[in-house]
């Protein structure tokens, strides 16, 4: 099996993860990037080209991961992370589509021109497919519909300082203006849901500290809970699909449950780091664990896993938010001044698989949470996130029993700082295929394949993640 441009490809496996909870022997036939047929009987009658086609044997054959929360900081902060390194890491991790966040790049994706600039960079250097979130910031409400018409997947806003000055957070008044523009479109608004709380409710201010608890106490659950109350209120008032990114506070789950019970088209994600790490794990000065909202204690993590199992949390993503090593202030170990953001996109599949098995969750939970639903959120579930005829031929072949140990030499992110360094996980990606092209195979990348830009059709009604919502 060669790496390179092929118009057609067949993938055979004994354990192909198909929709409706089926794992069975099958041959997937891909032509011109699209799945043409999935053969589940008379497999030896299907024509086979030993040199071109792929036999996965006992490895799992699964839809490629759709990671809907990735910060590729190009243009403008490509030194933090760019499309080449971010999407090589994606391919090495079985991620076949990323949805790129509108911030940390300069310019941020808050205007049509900035969107076009971002697309030109992505087109030049991506190994996997890329869709895009736009940004809602104060006074850009009239930029939103032009970006929707140009194919943006949806929008992201912050209710607290975003970490970068050129992407200011919004107020409730700004949200009303944005909601008026989004109402009636097929778009979605994502929220970084933390808000400032009254001084009387805050921990004593700490300017610099190597103690994780000082940072943790500076971003209490109440900041998330208050923000999520506002998101729920706006979602119910406008009935515009809203999505809470990187939930960390399990205390906010009743607020989300109640809003959905009232018919709010409200969804929520959590991230690998909230499921695999907890505050008790963070070493003194361990600023590579810093992210916002913060990784909380073990008891909080237990509730997040339960919410995943009972459907209160809809999906799991990376929130891959890298920076240069210098900005993590690892020498000083200063949690209060270090950059908040964790690099993990290459390891999401293995992180989730390792944790899920201990939780009694399995393959179909992984596909639902990391492929199907993230594709629905981004409005691309008609072509991404599951193995079915007519879908893009995006496939990851991986060994669920093999282990990987995360070391700098096998990290393809631009920078190698990650809280997962040295960790041994189960689940090893062998081959990643994007629209029928092998882009990654056991450490080797295709240098001929280029990822596509995934444009969202503004007229297409996206598959609902909250079927009981009253729009
Ligand atoms: N500007 C950022 O990348 N912020 C990100 N930082 C994190 N999560 O710590 C985020 O997702 O909010
Ligand atoms: Zn955020
Ligand atoms: Zn983020």
């Amino acid at each position: 099996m060669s790496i390179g441009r092929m118009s057609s490809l067949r993938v055979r496996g004994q354990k192909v993860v198909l929709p409706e909870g089926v794992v069975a022997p099958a041959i997937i036939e891909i032509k011109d990037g699209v799945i043409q047929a999935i053969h589940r009987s008379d497999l030896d009658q299907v024509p086979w080209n030993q040199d071109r086609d792929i036999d996965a044997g006992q490895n799992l054959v699964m839809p490629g991961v759709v990671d809907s929360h990735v910060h590729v900081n190009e243009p403008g902060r490509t030194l933090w992370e760019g499309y080449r390194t971010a999407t090589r890491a994606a391919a090495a991790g079985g991620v076949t589509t990323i949805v790129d966040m509108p911030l940390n790049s300069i310019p941020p994706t808050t205007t049509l021109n900035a969107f076009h600039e971002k697309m030109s960079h992505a087109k030049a250097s991506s190994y996997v497919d890329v869709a895009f979130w736009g940004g809602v910031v104060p006074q850009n409400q009239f930029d939103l519909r032009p970006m929707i018409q140009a194919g943006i997947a949806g929008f992201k806003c912050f209710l607290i300082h975003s970490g970068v000055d050129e992407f200011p957070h919004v107020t409730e008044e700004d949200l009303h203006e944005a909601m008026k523009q989004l109402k009636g479109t097929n778009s979605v608004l994502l929220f970084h849901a933390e808000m400032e709380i009254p001084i009387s409710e805050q921990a004593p201010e700490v300017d610099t500290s190597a103690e994780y608890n000082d940072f943790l106490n500076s971003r209490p659950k109440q900041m998330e809970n208050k923000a999520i109350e506002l998101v729920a209120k706006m979602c119910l008032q406008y009935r515009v699909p809203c999505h809470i990114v990187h939930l960390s506070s399990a205390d906010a789950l009743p607020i989300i449950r109640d809003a959905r019970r009232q018919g709010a088209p409200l969804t929520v994600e959590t991230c690998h780091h909230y499921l695999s790490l907890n505050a008790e794990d963070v070493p003194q000065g361990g600023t590579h664990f810093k992210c916002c909202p913060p990784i909380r204690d073990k008891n909080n993590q237990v509730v997040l896993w339960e919410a995943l199992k009972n459907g209160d949390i809809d999906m799991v993503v990376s929130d891959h938010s890298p920076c240069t090593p210098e900005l993590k202030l690892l020498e000083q170990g200063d949690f209060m001044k270090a950059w908040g953001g964790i690099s993990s996109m290459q390891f999401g599949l293995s992180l989730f698989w390792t944790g899920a098995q201990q939780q009694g969750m399995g393959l179909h939970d992984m596909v639902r949470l990391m492929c199907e639903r993230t594709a629905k959120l981004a409005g691309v579930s008609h072509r991404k996130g599951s193995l079915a005829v007519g879908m893009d031929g995006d496939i990851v072949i991986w060994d669920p029993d093999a282990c990987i140990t995360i070391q700098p030499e096998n990290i393809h992110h631009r920078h190698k700082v990650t809280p997962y360094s040295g960790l041994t996980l189960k689940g090893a990606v062998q081959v990643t295929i994007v629209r029928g092209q092998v882009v990654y195979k056991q450490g080797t990348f295709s240098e001929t394949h280029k990822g596509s830009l995934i444009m969202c059709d503004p007229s297409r009604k996206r598959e609902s993640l909250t079927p009981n919502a009253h729009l």
Side-chain angles (χ1 to χ4, degrees), residues 69-71 101-104 156 158 192 245-246 269 271 292 318-321 340-341:
H69 193 151
V70 178
H71 295 266
M101 281 288 168
L103 74 159
N104 303 341
K156 165 82 172 295
F158 276 69
H192 177 115
V245 300
H246 53 41
E269 73 188 35
C271 301
C292 302
S318 67
D319 188 12
H320 179 70
S321 178

mmCIF file with all atom_site columns, all heavy atoms in Angstrom, residues 69-71 101-104 156 158 192 245-246 269 271 292 318-321 340-341, ligand 3:
data_model
loop_
_atom_site.group_PDB
_atom_site.id
_atom_site.type_symbol
_atom_site.label_atom_id
_atom_site.label_alt_id
_atom_site.label_comp_id
_atom_site.label_asym_id
_atom_site.label_entity_id
_atom_site.label_seq_id
_atom_site.pdbx_PDB_ins_code
_atom_site.Cartn_x
_atom_site.Cartn_y
_atom_site.Cartn_z
_atom_site.occupancy
_atom_site.B_iso_or_equiv
_atom_site.pdbx_formal_charge
_atom_site.auth_seq_id
_atom_site.auth_comp_id
_atom_site.auth_asym_id
_atom_site.auth_atom_id
_atom_site.pdbx_PDB_model_num
ATOM   1   N  N   . HIS A 1 69  ? -12.501 21.687 18.144 1.00 0.00 ? 69  HIS A N   1
ATOM   2   C  CA  . HIS A 1 69  ? -11.967 22.771 18.983 1.00 0.00 ? 69  HIS A CA  1
ATOM   3   C  C   . HIS A 1 69  ? -10.445 22.743 18.912 1.00 0.00 ? 69  HIS A C   1
ATOM   4   O  O   . HIS A 1 69  ? -9.784  22.136 19.765 1.00 0.00 ? 69  HIS A O   1
ATOM   5   C  CB  . HIS A 1 69  ? -12.462 22.627 20.419 1.00 0.00 ? 69  HIS A CB  1
ATOM   6   C  CG  . HIS A 1 69  ? -12.208 23.855 21.244 1.00 0.00 ? 69  HIS A CG  1
ATOM   7   N  ND1 . HIS A 1 69  ? -13.001 24.243 22.307 1.00 0.00 ? 69  HIS A ND1 1
ATOM   8   C  CD2 . HIS A 1 69  ? -11.251 24.803 21.160 1.00 0.00 ? 69  HIS A CD2 1
ATOM   9   C  CE1 . HIS A 1 69  ? -12.529 25.364 22.842 1.00 0.00 ? 69  HIS A CE1 1
ATOM   10  N  NE2 . HIS A 1 69  ? -11.469 25.724 22.172 1.00 0.00 ? 69  HIS A NE2 1
ATOM   11  N  N   . VAL A 1 70  ? -9.920  23.417 17.907 1.00 0.00 ? 70  VAL A N   1
ATOM   12  C  CA  . VAL A 1 70  ? -8.471  23.441 17.677 1.00 0.00 ? 70  VAL A CA  1
ATOM   13  C  C   . VAL A 1 70  ? -8.044  24.887 17.400 1.00 0.00 ? 70  VAL A C   1
ATOM   14  O  O   . VAL A 1 70  ? -8.692  25.581 16.612 1.00 0.00 ? 70  VAL A O   1
ATOM   15  C  CB  . VAL A 1 70  ? -8.086  22.559 16.458 1.00 0.00 ? 70  VAL A CB  1
ATOM   16  C  CG1 . VAL A 1 70  ? -6.585  22.619 16.190 1.00 0.00 ? 70  VAL A CG1 1
ATOM   17  C  CG2 . VAL A 1 70  ? -8.530  21.108 16.689 1.00 0.00 ? 70  VAL A CG2 1
ATOM   18  N  N   . HIS A 1 71  ? -7.005  25.324 18.072 1.00 0.00 ? 71  HIS A N   1
ATOM   19  C  CA  . HIS A 1 71  ? -6.460  26.661 17.809 1.00 0.00 ? 71  HIS A CA  1
ATOM   20  C  C   . HIS A 1 71  ? -5.202  26.528 16.951 1.00 0.00 ? 71  HIS A C   1
ATOM   21  O  O   . HIS A 1 71  ? -4.143  26.145 17.439 1.00 0.00 ? 71  HIS A O   1
ATOM   22  C  CB  . HIS A 1 71  ? -6.104  27.370 19.108 1.00 0.00 ? 71  HIS A CB  1
ATOM   23  C  CG  . HIS A 1 71  ? -7.281  27.662 19.992 1.00 0.00 ? 71  HIS A CG  1
ATOM   24  N  ND1 . HIS A 1 71  ? -7.955  28.866 19.976 1.00 0.00 ? 71  HIS A ND1 1
ATOM   25  C  CD2 . HIS A 1 71  ? -7.921  26.901 20.911 1.00 0.00 ? 71  HIS A CD2 1
ATOM   26  C  CE1 . HIS A 1 71  ? -8.946  28.837 20.867 1.00 0.00 ? 71  HIS A CE1 1
ATOM   27  N  NE2 . HIS A 1 71  ? -8.954  27.666 21.440 1.00 0.00 ? 71  HIS A NE2 1
ATOM   28  N  N   . MET A 1 101 ? -10.376 27.398 15.446 1.00 0.00 ? 101 MET A N   1
ATOM   29  C  CA  . MET A 1 101 ? -10.918 28.489 16.241 1.00 0.00 ? 101 MET A CA  1
ATOM   30  C  C   . MET A 1 101 ? -10.480 29.843 15.662 1.00 0.00 ? 101 MET A C   1
ATOM   31  O  O   . MET A 1 101 ? -9.460  29.962 15.008 1.00 0.00 ? 101 MET A O   1
ATOM   32  C  CB  . MET A 1 101 ? -10.458 28.356 17.693 1.00 0.00 ? 101 MET A CB  1
ATOM   33  C  CG  . MET A 1 101 ? -11.256 27.318 18.457 1.00 0.00 ? 101 MET A CG  1
ATOM   34  S  SD  . MET A 1 101 ? -12.887 27.954 18.754 1.00 0.00 ? 101 MET A SD  1
ATOM   35  C  CE  . MET A 1 101 ? -13.751 26.491 19.311 1.00 0.00 ? 101 MET A CE  1
ATOM   36  N  N   . PRO A 1 102 ? -11.294 30.900 15.910 1.00 0.00 ? 102 PRO A N   1
ATOM   37  C  CA  . PRO A 1 102 ? -11.038 32.198 15.277 1.00 0.00 ? 102 PRO A CA  1
ATOM   38  C  C   . PRO A 1 102 ? -9.973  33.034 15.981 1.00 0.00 ? 102 PRO A C   1
ATOM   39  O  O   . PRO A 1 102 ? -9.654  34.128 15.526 1.00 0.00 ? 102 PRO A O   1
ATOM   40  C  CB  . PRO A 1 102 ? -12.405 32.907 15.387 1.00 0.00 ? 102 PRO A CB  1
ATOM   41  C  CG  . PRO A 1 102 ? -12.994 32.369 16.643 1.00 0.00 ? 102 PRO A CG  1
ATOM   42  C  CD  . PRO A 1 102 ? -12.537 30.938 16.714 1.00 0.00 ? 102 PRO A CD  1
ATOM   43  N  N   . LEU A 1 103 ? -9.462  32.499 17.107 1.00 0.00 ? 103 LEU A N   1
ATOM   44  C  CA  . LEU A 1 103 ? -8.478  33.308 17.808 1.00 0.00 ? 103 LEU A CA  1
ATOM   45  C  C   . LEU A 1 103 ? -7.210  32.523 18.090 1.00 0.00 ? 103 LEU A C   1
ATOM   46  O  O   . LEU A 1 103 ? -7.205  31.298 18.061 1.00 0.00 ? 103 LEU A O   1
ATOM   47  C  CB  . LEU A 1 103 ? -9.023  33.858 19.133 1.00 0.00 ? 103 LEU A CB  1
ATOM   48  C  CG  . LEU A 1 103 ? -9.173  32.869 20.289 1.00 0.00 ? 103 LEU A CG  1
ATOM   49  C  CD1 . LEU A 1 103 ? -9.206  33.607 21.602 1.00 0.00 ? 103 LEU A CD1 1
ATOM   50  C  CD2 . LEU A 1 103 ? -10.412 32.023 20.162 1.00 0.00 ? 103 LEU A CD2 1
ATOM   51  N  N   . ASN A 1 104 ? -6.306  33.388 18.322 1.00 0.00 ? 104 ASN A N   1
ATOM   52  C  CA  . ASN A 1 104 ? -4.874  33.428 18.520 1.00 0.00 ? 104 ASN A CA  1
ATOM   53  C  C   . ASN A 1 104 ? -4.185  33.715 17.210 1.00 0.00 ? 104 ASN A C   1
ATOM   54  O  O   . ASN A 1 104 ? -2.998  33.963 17.215 1.00 0.00 ? 104 ASN A O   1
ATOM   55  C  CB  . ASN A 1 104 ? -4.364  32.148 19.164 1.00 0.00 ? 104 ASN A CB  1
ATOM   56  C  CG  . ASN A 1 104 ? -5.070  31.887 20.484 1.00 0.00 ? 104 ASN A CG  1
ATOM   57  O  OD1 . ASN A 1 104 ? -5.651  32.788 21.068 1.00 0.00 ? 104 ASN A OD1 1
ATOM   58  N  ND2 . ASN A 1 104 ? -5.052  30.658 20.933 1.00 0.00 ? 104 ASN A ND2 1
ATOM   59  N  N   . LYS A 1 156 ? -17.678 31.726 17.635 1.00 0.00 ? 156 LYS A N   1
ATOM   60  C  CA  . LYS A 1 156 ? -17.182 31.567 19.001 1.00 0.00 ? 156 LYS A CA  1
ATOM   61  C  C   . LYS A 1 156 ? -17.074 32.934 19.622 1.00 0.00 ? 156 LYS A C   1
ATOM   62  O  O   . LYS A 1 156 ? -16.620 33.892 18.976 1.00 0.00 ? 156 LYS A O   1
ATOM   63  C  CB  . LYS A 1 156 ? -15.820 30.890 18.948 1.00 0.00 ? 156 LYS A CB  1
ATOM   64  C  CG  . LYS A 1 156 ? -14.975 30.957 20.210 1.00 0.00 ? 156 LYS A CG  1
ATOM   65  C  CD  . LYS A 1 156 ? -15.396 29.903 21.190 1.00 0.00 ? 156 LYS A CD  1
ATOM   66  C  CE  . LYS A 1 156 ? -14.452 29.826 22.382 1.00 0.00 ? 156 LYS A CE  1
ATOM   67  N  NZ  . LYS A 1 156 ? -13.106 29.392 22.021 1.00 0.00 ? 156 LYS A NZ  1
ATOM   68  N  N   . PHE A 1 158 ? -16.235 34.944 23.673 1.00 0.00 ? 158 PHE A N   1
ATOM   69  C  CA  . PHE A 1 158 ? -15.760 34.813 25.064 1.00 0.00 ? 158 PHE A CA  1
ATOM   70  C  C   . PHE A 1 158 ? -16.597 35.719 25.950 1.00 0.00 ? 158 PHE A C   1
ATOM   71  O  O   . PHE A 1 158 ? -16.945 36.842 25.548 1.00 0.00 ? 158 PHE A O   1
ATOM   72  C  CB  . PHE A 1 158 ? -14.291 35.246 25.151 1.00 0.00 ? 158 PHE A CB  1
ATOM   73  C  CG  . PHE A 1 158 ? -13.298 34.177 24.795 1.00 0.00 ? 158 PHE A CG  1
ATOM   74  C  CD1 . PHE A 1 158 ? -13.180 33.713 23.500 1.00 0.00 ? 158 PHE A CD1 1
ATOM   75  C  CD2 . PHE A 1 158 ? -12.473 33.619 25.761 1.00 0.00 ? 158 PHE A CD2 1
ATOM   76  C  CE1 . PHE A 1 158 ? -12.261 32.729 23.154 1.00 0.00 ? 158 PHE A CE1 1
ATOM   77  C  CE2 . PHE A 1 158 ? -11.553 32.628 25.430 1.00 0.00 ? 158 PHE A CE2 1
ATOM   78  C  CZ  . PHE A 1 158 ? -11.445 32.184 24.129 1.00 0.00 ? 158 PHE A CZ  1
ATOM   79  N  N   . HIS A 1 192 ? -17.033 30.553 25.211 1.00 0.00 ? 192 HIS A N   1
ATOM   80  C  CA  . HIS A 1 192 ? -16.085 30.316 26.303 1.00 0.00 ? 192 HIS A CA  1
ATOM   81  C  C   . HIS A 1 192 ? -16.808 30.846 27.524 1.00 0.00 ? 192 HIS A C   1
ATOM   82  O  O   . HIS A 1 192 ? -16.909 32.062 27.735 1.00 0.00 ? 192 HIS A O   1
ATOM   83  C  CB  . HIS A 1 192 ? -14.766 31.059 26.084 1.00 0.00 ? 192 HIS A CB  1
ATOM   84  C  CG  . HIS A 1 192 ? -13.821 30.882 27.242 1.00 0.00 ? 192 HIS A CG  1
ATOM   85  N  ND1 . HIS A 1 192 ? -12.607 30.233 27.151 1.00 0.00 ? 192 HIS A ND1 1
ATOM   86  C  CD2 . HIS A 1 192 ? -13.949 31.250 28.538 1.00 0.00 ? 192 HIS A CD2 1
ATOM   87  C  CE1 . HIS A 1 192 ? -12.024 30.230 28.353 1.00 0.00 ? 192 HIS A CE1 1
ATOM   88  N  NE2 . HIS A 1 192 ? -12.811 30.832 29.212 1.00 0.00 ? 192 HIS A NE2 1
ATOM   89  N  N   . VAL A 1 245 ? -18.282 25.502 25.159 1.00 0.00 ? 245 VAL A N   1
ATOM   90  C  CA  . VAL A 1 245 ? -17.029 24.782 24.905 1.00 0.00 ? 245 VAL A CA  1
ATOM   91  C  C   . VAL A 1 245 ? -16.356 24.444 26.236 1.00 0.00 ? 245 VAL A C   1
ATOM   92  O  O   . VAL A 1 245 ? -16.668 25.032 27.276 1.00 0.00 ? 245 VAL A O   1
ATOM   93  C  CB  . VAL A 1 245 ? -16.079 25.595 23.988 1.00 0.00 ? 245 VAL A CB  1
ATOM   94  C  CG1 . VAL A 1 245 ? -16.726 25.876 22.638 1.00 0.00 ? 245 VAL A CG1 1
ATOM   95  C  CG2 . VAL A 1 245 ? -15.587 26.860 24.652 1.00 0.00 ? 245 VAL A CG2 1
ATOM   96  N  N   . HIS A 1 246 ? -15.475 23.482 26.195 1.00 0.00 ? 246 HIS A N   1
ATOM   97  C  CA  . HIS A 1 246 ? -14.604 23.050 27.281 1.00 0.00 ? 246 HIS A CA  1
ATOM   98  C  C   . HIS A 1 246 ? -15.191 23.201 28.687 1.00 0.00 ? 246 HIS A C   1
ATOM   99  O  O   . HIS A 1 246 ? -14.619 23.856 29.552 1.00 0.00 ? 246 HIS A O   1
ATOM   100 C  CB  . HIS A 1 246 ? -13.224 23.723 27.192 1.00 0.00 ? 246 HIS A CB  1
ATOM   101 C  CG  . HIS A 1 246 ? -13.188 25.232 27.095 1.00 0.00 ? 246 HIS A CG  1
ATOM   102 N  ND1 . HIS A 1 246 ? -14.002 26.071 27.828 1.00 0.00 ? 246 HIS A ND1 1
ATOM   103 C  CD2 . HIS A 1 246 ? -12.426 26.052 26.340 1.00 0.00 ? 246 HIS A CD2 1
ATOM   104 C  CE1 . HIS A 1 246 ? -13.727 27.304 27.533 1.00 0.00 ? 246 HIS A CE1 1
ATOM   105 N  NE2 . HIS A 1 246 ? -12.779 27.345 26.647 1.00 0.00 ? 246 HIS A NE2 1
ATOM   106 N  N   . GLU A 1 269 ? -19.608 20.584 25.357 1.00 0.00 ? 269 GLU A N   1
ATOM   107 C  CA  . GLU A 1 269 ? -18.461 19.673 25.188 1.00 0.00 ? 269 GLU A CA  1
ATOM   108 C  C   . GLU A 1 269 ? -17.605 19.703 26.437 1.00 0.00 ? 269 GLU A C   1
ATOM   109 O  O   . GLU A 1 269 ? -17.647 20.667 27.213 1.00 0.00 ? 269 GLU A O   1
ATOM   110 C  CB  . GLU A 1 269 ? -17.608 20.107 23.986 1.00 0.00 ? 269 GLU A CB  1
ATOM   111 C  CG  . GLU A 1 269 ? -16.806 21.379 24.278 1.00 0.00 ? 269 GLU A CG  1
ATOM   112 C  CD  . GLU A 1 269 ? -16.083 21.994 23.109 1.00 0.00 ? 269 GLU A CD  1
ATOM   113 O  OE1 . GLU A 1 269 ? -16.616 21.944 21.977 1.00 0.00 ? 269 GLU A OE1 1
ATOM   114 O  OE2 . GLU A 1 269 ? -14.994 22.543 23.331 1.00 0.00 ? 269 GLU A OE2 1
ATOM   115 N  N   . CYS A 1 271 ? -13.344 18.352 27.481 1.00 0.00 ? 271 CYS A N   1
ATOM   116 C  CA  . CYS A 1 271 ? -12.052 18.115 26.815 1.00 0.00 ? 271 CYS A CA  1
ATOM   117 C  C   . CYS A 1 271 ? -11.313 16.962 27.466 1.00 0.00 ? 271 CYS A C   1
ATOM   118 O  O   . CYS A 1 271 ? -11.532 16.632 28.630 1.00 0.00 ? 271 CYS A O   1
ATOM   119 C  CB  . CYS A 1 271 ? -11.171 19.356 26.888 1.00 0.00 ? 271 CYS A CB  1
ATOM   120 S  SG  . CYS A 1 271 ? -11.897 20.800 26.125 1.00 0.00 ? 271 CYS A SG  1
ATOM   121 N  N   . CYS A 1 292 ? -7.755  27.408 30.734 1.00 0.00 ? 292 CYS A N   1
ATOM   122 C  CA  . CYS A 1 292 ? -8.943  28.088 31.253 1.00 0.00 ? 292 CYS A CA  1
ATOM   123 C  C   . CYS A 1 292 ? -10.166 27.552 30.512 1.00 0.00 ? 292 CYS A C   1
ATOM   124 O  O   . CYS A 1 292 ? -10.174 27.534 29.285 1.00 0.00 ? 292 CYS A O   1
ATOM   125 C  CB  . CYS A 1 292 ? -8.837  29.587 31.014 1.00 0.00 ? 292 CYS A CB  1
ATOM   126 S  SG  . CYS A 1 292 ? -7.391  30.313 31.767 1.00 0.00 ? 292 CYS A SG  1
ATOM   127 N  N   . SER A 1 318 ? -10.377 18.411 21.850 1.00 0.00 ? 318 SER A N   1
ATOM   128 C  CA  . SER A 1 318 ? -9.045  18.627 22.441 1.00 0.00 ? 318 SER A CA  1
ATOM   129 C  C   . SER A 1 318 ? -8.881  20.006 23.084 1.00 0.00 ? 318 SER A C   1
ATOM   130 O  O   . SER A 1 318 ? -8.242  20.145 24.107 1.00 0.00 ? 318 SER A O   1
ATOM   131 C  CB  . SER A 1 318 ? -7.967  18.463 21.362 1.00 0.00 ? 318 SER A CB  1
ATOM   132 O  OG  . SER A 1 318 ? -8.089  19.522 20.401 1.00 0.00 ? 318 SER A OG  1
ATOM   133 N  N   . ASP A 1 319 ? -9.459  21.055 22.463 1.00 0.00 ? 319 ASP A N   1
ATOM   134 C  CA  . ASP A 1 319 ? -9.087  22.441 22.793 1.00 0.00 ? 319 ASP A CA  1
ATOM   135 C  C   . ASP A 1 319 ? -7.559  22.565 22.730 1.00 0.00 ? 319 ASP A C   1
ATOM   136 O  O   . ASP A 1 319 ? -6.901  23.083 23.636 1.00 0.00 ? 319 ASP A O   1
ATOM   137 C  CB  . ASP A 1 319 ? -9.605  22.936 24.131 1.00 0.00 ? 319 ASP A CB  1
ATOM   138 C  CG  . ASP A 1 319 ? -9.327  24.440 24.292 1.00 0.00 ? 319 ASP A CG  1
ATOM   139 O  OD1 . ASP A 1 319 ? -8.963  25.083 23.276 1.00 0.00 ? 319 ASP A OD1 1
ATOM   140 O  OD2 . ASP A 1 319 ? -9.453  24.952 25.412 1.00 0.00 ? 319 ASP A OD2 1
ATOM   141 N  N   . HIS A 1 320 ? -7.030  22.080 21.624 1.00 0.00 ? 320 HIS A N   1
ATOM   142 C  CA  . HIS A 1 320 ? -5.574  22.186 21.375 1.00 0.00 ? 320 HIS A CA  1
ATOM   143 C  C   . HIS A 1 320 ? -5.235  23.664 21.284 1.00 0.00 ? 320 HIS A C   1
ATOM   144 O  O   . HIS A 1 320 ? -5.625  24.345 20.338 1.00 0.00 ? 320 HIS A O   1
ATOM   145 C  CB  . HIS A 1 320 ? -5.257  21.483 20.055 1.00 0.00 ? 320 HIS A CB  1
ATOM   146 C  CG  . HIS A 1 320 ? -3.817  21.532 19.657 1.00 0.00 ? 320 HIS A CG  1
ATOM   147 N  ND1 . HIS A 1 320 ? -2.834  20.836 20.316 1.00 0.00 ? 320 HIS A ND1 1
ATOM   148 C  CD2 . HIS A 1 320 ? -3.206  22.185 18.637 1.00 0.00 ? 320 HIS A CD2 1
ATOM   149 C  CE1 . HIS A 1 320 ? -1.662  21.057 19.711 1.00 0.00 ? 320 HIS A CE1 1
ATOM   150 N  NE2 . HIS A 1 320 ? -1.857  21.872 18.696 1.00 0.00 ? 320 HIS A NE2 1
ATOM   151 N  N   . SER A 1 321 ? -4.572  24.189 22.336 1.00 0.00 ? 321 SER A N   1
ATOM   152 C  CA  . SER A 1 321 ? -4.315  25.642 22.401 1.00 0.00 ? 321 SER A CA  1
ATOM   153 C  C   . SER A 1 321 ? -2.855  25.879 22.753 1.00 0.00 ? 321 SER A C   1
ATOM   154 O  O   . SER A 1 321 ? -2.504  26.150 23.895 1.00 0.00 ? 321 SER A O   1
ATOM   155 C  CB  . SER A 1 321 ? -5.216  26.295 23.444 1.00 0.00 ? 321 SER A CB  1
ATOM   156 O  OG  . SER A 1 321 ? -4.904  27.673 23.496 1.00 0.00 ? 321 SER A OG  1
ATOM   157 N  N   . GLY A 1 340 ? -2.459  30.209 29.193 1.00 0.00 ? 340 GLY A N   1
ATOM   158 C  CA  . GLY A 1 340 ? -3.410  29.134 29.456 1.00 0.00 ? 340 GLY A CA  1
ATOM   159 C  C   . GLY A 1 340 ? -3.754  28.420 28.165 1.00 0.00 ? 340 GLY A C   1
ATOM   160 O  O   . GLY A 1 340 ? -4.301  29.025 27.239 1.00 0.00 ? 340 GLY A O   1
ATOM   161 N  N   . GLY A 1 341 ? -3.457  27.147 28.127 1.00 0.00 ? 341 GLY A N   1
ATOM   162 C  CA  . GLY A 1 341 ? -3.769  26.364 26.923 1.00 0.00 ? 341 GLY A CA  1
ATOM   163 C  C   . GLY A 1 341 ? -2.961  25.084 26.949 1.00 0.00 ? 341 GLY A C   1
ATOM   164 O  O   . GLY A 1 341 ? -1.802  25.094 27.356 1.00 0.00 ? 341 GLY A O   1
HETATM 165 ZN ZN1 . LIG B 2 .   ? -10.109 27.000 22.945 1.00 0.00 ? 3   LIG B ZN1 1
#
